[in-house]
Amino acid sequence: MAEGDGLTMNNLLSEVQGALDKFKLEDEGTGGPGDYYSPYANLEKAAVLQEARCFHDPTAVRESPRKCCTVIAQLLHLTNTGQYMNSAEATEVFFGVTKLFMSDDASLRRMVYLFIKEVAETCDPDDVIIVTSSLTKDMTCDVDLYRANALRVLARIVDAAMLGAIERYVKQALVDSSGQVSSAALVSATHLFERNEESAAIVKRWISETTEATSSPNEMVQFHAMQLLYQIKKHDRLGMQKLVTQFSQRNTLRSPLALVLLVRYTTKLLTDEVAEGRQSGSFQNGTNFSRAGYAFLEASLRHKSEMVVYEAAKSICSLPGIEPQELSPAVNVLQIFLSSPKPAVRFAAIKTVSQVAVNHPRMVSKCNEDLEALIADANRSIATLAITTLLKTGSENSVDRLLKQISVFLSEIPDEYKVTIVKSIQRLCLTYPAKHRVLVGFLSNFLREEGGFDFKRSIVNSIVSLMKQVPETTEGSLLHLCEFIEDCEFTMLSTQILHLLGELGPSTSAPARYIRFIYNRVILENSAVRAAAVGALSKFAARCPSLRSSILTLLKRSLGDEDDETRDRASVAVSVLKDAMEEFPYLAPAEDADPDEEPVPDEPQAGDPAAFVLLQGLPMSFDRLERSIRAYVKAPAAMDSPEQLTLSTLPIVEEYEEPESAVDEGDDIGADPALAAAVSGKEKEKKEVVDPAAAVYAIPELAALGRVFRSSPPTALSEEEAEYVVTCVKHVLPEHIILQFPIQNTLEDQRLVNCTVTVEGDSECFEVAGEVAAESIKYGETVNAFTVISRIPDAPLSPCNFECVLNFGVVQVDPKSGEDESDPFEEEYPLEELEIATSDFMAKVSVPDFRSSWEMVGNANEVLEKFALQFKKQEDAVAAVIDFLGMQPCDGTGHIKPGEGGKKPHMLHLSGVFVGGTNVLARAQVAAQGDASGVLLKIAVRSDDPDVSRMVADCIR
């Protein structure tokens, strides 16, 4: 492949075709291409097995080793194409293979080794053992080639018991003077270590021989010895630190590959030091190992091997929390590599520099001259990385010059590289908001150029994301998108941009300017785009009363559209707009009005039917609406209830997972999840949700208590390996809590009868009301028992713990027949304590717009609290607050972006519904204290009930 070509499918296919052309056979007699037949085509297993009988002829084995090699190759071909030998055939072949050891031909012997190693996993182990004695004999012979290969094959076929018998020979091979034998023994030991615990225990006894192998003059032996030492000691932190310290100080390793491994092991240990809290701040002023480890990495930057130098530089750059002055030596080395004549070295260096630029752009800025030189690199991967790195490190003054260079470059590269550059330009716009006009204009220019769907989607995605994060770009960006849909060939992008125009266009300073672009789509596009355009026009009319008469005229032209969806949307909009215009006629401002007077806002009045029908969204998503209706239907006597079915009377359904679009950086497309999914190309797989309350409704006595408000995830009350495995699901009702105890019997010789769980606790707000027993539980079965707890009227809710005991009768049974062998006798089995917390009464339900919901609730019942939490990491504190409150994170605040933990306070938005239907909102600020003494939490809780607000705030502990 040419140096300048990127690795694309077309290039790969052309390379493969070129390689095939080199091996084409030409028919010299006719001058045309001849037919090439594979020697393995149309092989029949029976014929090959017949040929394999030559293995039993000593004369043929000695005089025709080439024929035997061909037969083995044919046997391997049959096996690799799925034509396996049966037991009798495999046994006969293996007996024949053992006789091939009589030949001294090296090629035949290697084919024998290959055959045994490849077929060992698919054949009967008893057949494989046939060749063990011959392999053991080769392992102790004088020919290094035979010894090395015999070791490799034995490692594939021996078990732990047989390994103990040949252990002495393997230990000798580990320190053999032949590098080939020693390396084979070390690799074989690595495979044996990973096979099972028994073999690993034997390999661990070879640590002294493995350590001695690291002193071998053969570089490959040193490399494999370091690999095996790591396998043996990787779970021993102190042992690994001692290993790394010894080899980094002795300077005995001459193999560049072994030194690369040592650098990686050092980096892993340093990373673990930071992750486990033993190291913070500068590595040069840290623990003894941190200082020694960093000193070794820095010294490796001066090694004569480029491989070791690059690995050391990459490792230093990847250390978490590294200080800029400690990063400087690595960046200097990478800067030198940027001008290397080797494309692989340049690519490795620019890739690492690009990663460093994310967190330390100032450190990389000194490499800008070298990076600009790489924009013209023949290898497009290197050039793309150079541009994206410059976009991270460039100054505001250099933006125009960079865009000029990129504009020439973009037209010459495939779409996959263009997408990467587009995302970098988006980040640059967030860094320098003052340059948003130039950058958005640059992106929009390429919307009109040739390109595939992924490229155009990435540009639209970036522009829309910038509109939300840099509001100044909104009007200009909408105009660019309007121009794009004039010639857009992708229906999905057109429909979603029209939807976006309907959401954002009416709130701009001059909404009328977008009407022409939208109506053009009604005239010129396909049915899906026409329907989207009618929907967008309807939203403009609903939001801007001054435009209603004009838009109504345009919508009437779609009443006769041939598409049902377009026609129906137009009919609804026309009908609603007529009613709104009659009830709330628009009064244009007088021409002689005083210019100093504040103009009448162009907004719909309260009670406007057009605003209600066309703009008001559902209080829940369609997915939640479907699940809520299904839960309503499954509830007992739901269909016979005289109660009117409304959105407010539907059951509460929880959201256990935060929406994906909320946490994906750069994929946030306004406030509409459907738009985000379509523009980003991500479609969440819909999973069927099973109603956990179905087990409660199946029992009439429990179903009579009413509809379940929410069900908690299962809580383990016993170990998974216990004799009786018990979990608990808490079903919360307005006046009761039903505890469901799934009980599993893991004893084969017992059957449990009349199983109940006794719950006792000292609580002022709960009392046990009754139990439902599991009548019989056979071996391996899981059956439910229930305990009902009633809430004491007028008693405030408070957390409490209950002691749980499993009471049951045991009947001894015959494990084989399953028949009872004894009468039942009573037994007790203590379980873990069960906690009922305030968060159990909170359903995780998100709100479409947290900010407006927060302002709507008001601060009349607001509770403010401040807590000091004992968490070392800000991320752990955020997760704990969500768990304490039992509420749903909103606006993507449930996660801290990678690399930002502890740098600044994190604002957490939470919403939920408390039992009884009380909506609860919470805002929490989680800030890491500078002295690493913990995390500071400030929380505000709002709801319509002051008691609920207080209970939720008191959940923090």
Side-chain angles (χ1 to χ4, degrees):
M1 187 179 294
E3 180 180 311
D5 293 339
L7 184 57
T8 63
M9 184 57 69
N10 291 334
N11 288 338
L12 185 60
L13 290 175
S14 63
E15 290 295 323
V16 173
Q17 186 61 46
L20 291 175
D21 291 343
K22 294 179 182 178
F23 295 98
K24 275 188 177 179
L25 299 180
E26 300 292 334
D27 189 345
E28 296 180 359
T30 62
D35 294 329
Y36 172 72
Y37 296 100
S38 168
Y40 304 108
N42 303 319
L43 282 179
E44 294 184 2
K45 185 173 72 170
V48 176
L49 292 176
Q50 183 69 26
E51 290 285 338
R53 294 186 177 180
C54 67
F55 297 164
H56 298 277
D57 185 359
T59 304
V61 171
R62 285 194 303 269
E63 297 180 358
S64 304
R66 173 66 72 183
K67 178 181 178 181
C68 296
C69 288
T70 303
V71 174
I72 291 178
Q74 292 173 342
L75 288 169
L76 288 172
H77 177 77
L78 292 175
T79 303
N80 290 331
T81 54
Q83 302 181 56
Y84 299 110
M85 296 177 286
N86 59 35
S87 179
E89 293 167 346
T91 301
E92 182 179 358
V93 169
F94 268 92
F95 269 116
V97 167
T98 58
K99 297 183 179 180
L100 295 180
F101 281 96
M102 295 185 299
S103 173
D104 293 330
D105 186 82
S107 298
L108 177 57
R109 186 66 61 91
R110 297 180 71 179
M111 289 298 293
V112 170
Y113 293 139
L114 181 62
F115 176 78
I116 297 172
K117 191 166 65 171
E118 290 296 323
V119 183
E121 295 180 359
T122 59
C123 292
D124 189 347
D126 294 336
D127 296 336
V128 178
I129 298 302
I130 297 171
V131 299
T132 303
S133 59
S134 300
L135 291 171
T136 306
K137 181 179 179 182
D138 275 4
M139 191 174 63
T140 57
C141 71
D142 297 332
V143 182
D144 291 343
L145 177 65
Y146 295 172
R147 294 167 63 197
N149 283 317
L151 279 167
R152 289 193 172 95
V153 177
L154 278 171
R156 295 285 293 270
I157 64 176
V158 298
D159 53 16
M162 190 178 300
L163 179 60
I166 64 172
E167 179 182 5
R168 178 167 60 92
Y169 303 111
V170 180
K171 291 172 70 174
Q172 291 175 354
L174 291 173
V175 293
D176 196 271
S177 58
S178 169
Q180 184 180 13
V181 176
S182 181
S183 185
L186 290 164
V187 172
S188 301
T190 302
H191 290 305
L192 289 169
F193 188 88
E194 297 173 347
R195 178 171 299 174
N196 51 54
E197 294 183 1
E198 293 81 5
S199 299
I202 296 175
V203 174
K204 285 180 180 179
R205 301 200 294 255
W206 306 344
I207 190 167
S208 59
E209 287 79 8
T210 307
T211 306
E212 184 179 347
T214 59
S215 303
S216 170
N218 188 293
E219 293 185 352
M220 216 59 184
V221 173
Q222 289 188 349
F223 170 63
H224 290 140
M226 287 297 296
Q227 277 188 314
L228 183 56
L229 281 176
Y230 175 73
Q231 287 280 15
I232 295 173
K233 294 187 175 185
K234 64 181 178 181
H235 297 299
D236 178 9
R237 180 177 64 86
L238 295 178
M240 278 301 302
Q241 287 188 357
K242 182 179 179 182
L243 172 73
V244 168
T245 303
Q246 287 178 348
F247 282 102
S248 60
Q249 292 178 352
R250 289 179 182 175
N251 199 25
T252 57
L253 294 178
R254 295 291 180 265
S255 168
L257 288 172
L259 282 169
V260 166
L261 288 181
L262 189 60
V263 167
R264 290 181 179 177
Y265 301 156
T266 305
T267 307
K268 183 180 184 304
L269 290 172
L270 290 175
T271 304
D272 292 343
E273 289 280 299
V274 176
E276 295 170 9
R278 291 185 294 272
Q279 166 65 35
S280 61
S282 172
F283 285 92
Q284 293 175 328
N285 299 324
T287 62
N288 291 335
F289 178 76
S290 298
R291 292 197 300 271
Y294 177 80
F296 168 66
L297 294 180
E298 189 179 15
S300 299
L301 295 174
R302 297 182 288 275
H303 196 271
K304 61 182 179 180
S305 170
E306 283 183 340
M307 185 191 312
V308 177
V309 174
Y310 170 71
E311 190 66 34
K314 176 186 173 185
S315 297
I316 291 176
C317 293
S318 66
L319 290 176
I322 189 167
E323 300 290 338
Q325 64 270 18
E326 297 172 327
L327 194 61
S328 182
V331 175
N332 293 336
V333 168
L334 293 173
Q335 185 177 6
I336 297 172
F337 281 174
L338 290 176
S339 55
S340 170
K342 301 176 183 177
V345 176
R346 295 199 305 274
F347 177 78
I350 187 63
K351 185 177 180 181
T352 306
V353 167
S354 179
Q355 293 168 350
V356 174
V358 175
N359 296 320
H360 302 278
R362 290 187 178 180
M363 292 296 301
V364 179
S365 60
K366 59 184 179 183
C367 305
N368 282 356
E369 290 185 8
D370 302 276
L371 293 173
E372 290 184 17
L374 291 178
I375 293 179
D377 196 280
N379 189 301
R380 292 310 184 196
S381 298
I382 296 175
T384 304
L385 283 171
I387 288 177
T388 55
T389 308
L390 281 169
L391 291 174
K392 297 172 188 174
T393 62
S395 63
E396 188 170 359
N397 298 328
S398 64
V399 169
D400 295 326
R401 179 168 50 84
L402 281 175
L403 294 181
K404 185 177 180 181
Q405 291 177 300
I406 294 172
S407 60
V408 179
F409 174 76
L410 268 181
S411 59
E412 303 174 357
I413 61 175
D415 281 0
E416 54 263 34
Y417 296 134
K418 294 179 182 178
V419 172
T420 305
I421 294 175
V422 167
K423 292 181 179 179
S424 297
I425 293 175
Q426 177 189 343
R427 286 191 290 265
L428 184 65
C429 189
L430 296 177
T431 306
Y432 303 116
K435 289 287 185 180
H436 69 269
R437 292 184 182 276
V438 177
L439 293 169
V440 173
F442 177 81
L443 291 175
S444 63
N445 287 336
F446 280 94
L447 276 176
R448 294 185 287 272
E449 300 291 336
E450 292 294 329
F453 174 73
D454 289 335
F455 175 48
K456 297 295 180 70
R457 183 187 65 191
S458 67
I459 296 179
V460 172
N461 192 0
S462 298
I463 291 176
V464 175
S465 180
L466 288 172
M467 290 164 59
K468 183 175 182 180
Q469 300 181 59
V470 186
E472 296 85 357
T473 67
T474 300
E475 297 199 18
S477 298
L478 286 178
L479 285 174
H480 288 309
L481 293 177
C482 285
E483 294 174 1
F484 168 59
I485 60 175
E486 290 287 324
D487 300 315
C488 180
E489 57 184 309
F490 305 109
T491 299
M492 178 182 289
L493 291 181
S494 295
T495 55
Q496 301 305 330
I497 290 173
L498 286 168
H499 175 81
L500 186 70
L501 285 170
E503 292 290 333
L504 303 181
S507 60
T508 58
S509 59
R513 72 171 73 172
Y514 307 106
I515 302 300
R516 175 177 62 86
F517 296 101
I518 298 176
Y519 186 66
N520 284 344
R521 310 279 61 77
V522 178
I523 302 172
L524 304 173
E525 290 287 356
N526 56 44
S527 58
V529 178
R530 293 201 306 272
V534 168
L537 288 174
S538 304
K539 290 183 178 179
F540 270 83
R543 296 271 295 275
C544 303
S546 62
L547 300 177
R548 285 181 178 177
S549 59
S550 303
I551 293 177
L552 185 62
T553 304
L554 299 178
L555 289 175
K556 287 180 179 179
R557 299 178 184 177
S558 298
L559 293 177
D561 195 281
E562 61 182 12
D563 178 60
D564 294 343
E565 176 73 15
T566 305
R567 189 171 59 251
D568 291 347
R569 290 191 183 192
S571 299
V572 172
V574 168
S575 176
V576 171
L577 288 174
K578 283 182 177 180
D579 294 342
M581 292 171 68
E582 291 178 3
E583 188 175 351
F584 299 96
Y586 174 72
L587 299 177
E591 296 181 359
D592 56 350
D594 187 354
D596 296 332
E597 292 183 4
E598 186 175 349
V600 179
D602 189 12
E603 296 177 354
Q605 301 179 35
D608 190 307
F612 176 76
V613 174
L614 300 175
L615 300 179
Q616 190 71 30
L618 284 173
M620 61 181 73
S621 65
F622 282 104
D623 178 56
R624 280 182 55 202
L625 179 61
E626 179 189 2
R627 289 167 51 201
S628 184
I629 293 176
R630 289 182 182 275
Y632 178 86
V633 172
K634 290 179 181 178
M639 305 309 294
D640 301 330
S641 173
E643 182 184 24
Q644 186 178 9
L645 180 60
T646 62
L647 291 173
S648 60
T649 59
L650 284 174
I652 299 294
V653 290
E654 292 192 272
E655 300 177 12
Y656 291 103
E657 295 182 2
E658 188 169 346
E660 184 178 352
S661 60
V663 295
D664 285 350
E665 183 180 0
D667 290 345
D668 197 355
I669 314 297
D672 186 67
L675 178 63
V679 175
S680 65
K682 297 178 181 177
E683 187 173 337
K684 290 194 290 186
E685 182 181 353
K686 186 176 179 181
K687 298 181 180 179
E688 184 177 354
V689 180
V690 179
D691 185 9
V696 174
Y697 296 149
I699 300 175
E701 295 85 353
L702 301 180
L705 298 177
R707 183 192 299 160
V708 173
F709 171 71
R710 74 174 294 267
S711 301
S712 71
T715 302
L717 299 181
S718 65
E719 299 290 338
E720 292 184 0
E721 299 82 10
E723 299 172 350
Y724 314 109
V725 180
V726 183
T727 57
C728 178
V729 178
K730 292 169 274 189
H731 302 281
V732 179
L733 287 76
E735 302 297 333
H736 301 84
I737 299 177
I738 300 176
L739 303 179
Q740 175 188 347
F741 298 100
I743 305 170
Q744 181 183 10
N745 177 18
T746 64
L747 296 180
E748 194 174 3
D749 59 348
Q750 290 185 3
R751 180 169 64 87
L752 311 184
V753 296
N754 194 27
C755 302
T756 60
V757 177
T758 303
V759 177
E760 296 181 355
D762 185 12
S763 174
E764 298 179 355
C765 54
F766 300 109
E767 60 181 2
V768 178
E771 297 174 344
V772 177
E775 296 181 357
S776 176
I777 308 177
K778 297 180 181 179
Y779 165 68
E781 288 184 345
T782 300
V783 182
N784 294 319
F786 297 88
T787 299
V788 180
I789 297 177
S790 298
R791 288 178 56 184
I792 299 175
D794 301 327
L797 285 175
S798 60
C800 56
N801 292 335
F802 290 93
E803 295 182 355
C804 301
V805 178
L806 175 63
N807 300 294
F808 56 96
V810 177
V811 178
Q812 296 292 336
V813 299
D814 184 358
K816 295 182 179 180
S817 64
E819 296 180 357
D820 295 350
E821 294 183 338
S822 69
D823 294 330
F825 56 91
E826 298 299 321
E827 284 285 350
E828 289 186 354
Y829 189 79
L831 303 174
E832 300 287 340
E833 278 193 352
L834 176 66
E835 180 187 16
I836 296 181
T838 308
S839 59
D840 291 324
F841 298 90
M842 181 72 71
K844 294 183 176 181
V845 179
S846 63
V847 292
D849 187 346
F850 182 87
R851 179 171 297 179
S852 62
S853 300
W854 179 262
E855 294 174 354
M856 188 179 301
V857 173
N859 59 359
N861 301 318
E862 185 178 58
V863 175
L864 300 173
E865 291 290 348
K866 186 176 179 180
F867 301 93
L869 305 181
Q870 301 301 315
F871 291 97
K872 294 182 179 179
K873 293 184 178 179
Q874 192 178 19
E875 295 89 342
D876 297 339
V878 170
V881 170
I882 296 173
D883 183 58
F884 289 156
L885 301 181
M887 300 172 71
Q888 177 70 14
C890 302
D891 302 335
T893 60
H895 304 275
I896 298 178
K897 294 179 181 179
E900 293 187 3
K903 294 184 178 179
K904 60 182 180 180
H906 179 74
M907 185 59 70
L908 183 62
H909 294 169
L910 300 167
S911 68
V913 178
F914 201 74
V915 63
T918 304
N919 292 313
V920 183
L921 300 174
R923 293 181 64 185
Q925 186 187 67
V926 184
Q929 300 187 40
D931 54 358
S933 60
V935 175
L936 186 65
L937 170 67
K938 297 178 182 178
I939 186 169
V941 181
R942 290 184 179 182
S943 72
D944 295 330
D945 188 336
D947 295 333
V948 172
S949 299
R950 170 49 58 189
M951 280 189 289
V952 173
D954 290 341
C955 288
I956 305 296
R957 58 188 187 275

